[in-house]
Amino acid sequence: EAGVAQSPRYKIIEKRQSVAFWCNPISGHATLYWYQQILGQGPKLLIQFQNNGVVDDSQLPKDRFSAERLKGVDSTLKIQPAKLEDSAVYLCASSRGGSYGYTFGSGTRLTVV
Amino acid sequence: GESVGLHLPTLSVQEGDNSIINCAYSNSASDYFIWYKQESGKGPQFIIDIRSNMDKRQGQRVTVLLNKTVKHLSLQIAATQPGDSAVYFCAENPYQTGANNLFFGTGTRLTVIP
């Protein structure tokens, strides 16, 4: 099966600019996650979707981050305005749901200068 | 090239030796654990998982051991190969039902010396 697709692979922006990332999960996977991975750390959950509904966004900095999964398939994550500390790899993952492990995409590496 | 995890705990092993990577988890209610391998520039890749009703699970060249008493998890890699060089993360699911969010540890960088 095809993996989790993410784009772009790399993005460099100036602080206070906006940026958007896109994710297409594995076909049939109802659950979609966005994780932030800062250099030297493990991934940290930002938001979890079940189909097109939000299950958990308690760790999402809602003053600047937003995410949507309108049709329950692909998803976008937006940052507006970006800060220097947002520099990280943004990983998308999907799963069939329940207590199953995830499949991760390759991520988008964001550098804010 | 890219560097992931400049300040991670590190483990260096000789090719052909066995590797043991350790992880302490935080939530005694966690019932599901996964080991992931992350190569530079890639997302984490599933290696092996274990549920809390088990102490040991074996895969191909890998074994995961779970000690719930001390909240400790380990990954053993037999006959380590250069392709095993990567950062290894343990992850726990602290929820017994419902949401299956995973919480990741800091990671360990494994370097295999040819």
Side-chain angles (χ1 to χ4, degrees), chain A residues 10-78:
Chain A
Y10 304 93
K11 191 73 178 179
I12 301 174
I13 62 172
E14 295 182 348
K15 59 183 179 184
R16 291 187 290 274
Q17 286 186 325
S18 62
V19 64
F21 313 126
W22 175 82
C23 172
N24 191 23
I26 291 174
S27 178
H29 280 196
T31 310
L32 184 147
Y33 310 82
W34 284 101
Y35 276 80
Q36 180 193 56
Q37 186 176 24
I38 293 173
L39 186 67
Q41 300 181 16
K44 184 187 82 170
L45 179 72
L46 291 175
I47 189 167
Q48 176 190 356
F49 291 95
Q50 181 74 19
N51 297 309
N52 62 348
V54 175
V55 174
D56 184 353
D57 63 356
S58 58
Q59 308 253 25
L60 188 73
K62 297 180 188 65
D63 58 333
R64 298 184 300 106
F65 286 65
S66 65
E68 60 184 15
R69 195 185 183 199
L70 292 175
K71 297 181 179 178
V73 181
D74 56 352
S75 175
T76 55
L77 175 70
K78 297 179 182 178

Side-chain angles (χ1 to χ4, degrees), chain B residues 11 13 27-28 30 32 43-44 52 60 63-64 68 79 85 87 90 110:
Chain B
L11 174 66
V13 299
N27 192 328
S28 57
S30 292
Y32 181 55
S52 58
Q60 202 171 28
T63 301
V64 55
K68 295 180 286 292
S85 293
V87 177
C90 66
L110 174 66

Side-chain angles (χ1 to χ4, degrees), chain B residues 75-89:
Chain B
L75 176 70
Q76 300 178 358
I77 304 174
T80 313
Q81 302 168 359
D84 295 327
S85 293
V87 177
Y88 289 81
F89 293 98

Side-chain angles (χ1 to χ4, degrees), chain B residues 28-45:
Chain B
S28 57
S30 292
D31 70 334
Y32 181 55
F33 305 88
I34 307 178
W35 279 101
Y36 281 93
K37 171 187 180 183
Q38 187 173 29
E39 296 173 283
S40 185
K42 296 183 179 180
Q45 177 188 1

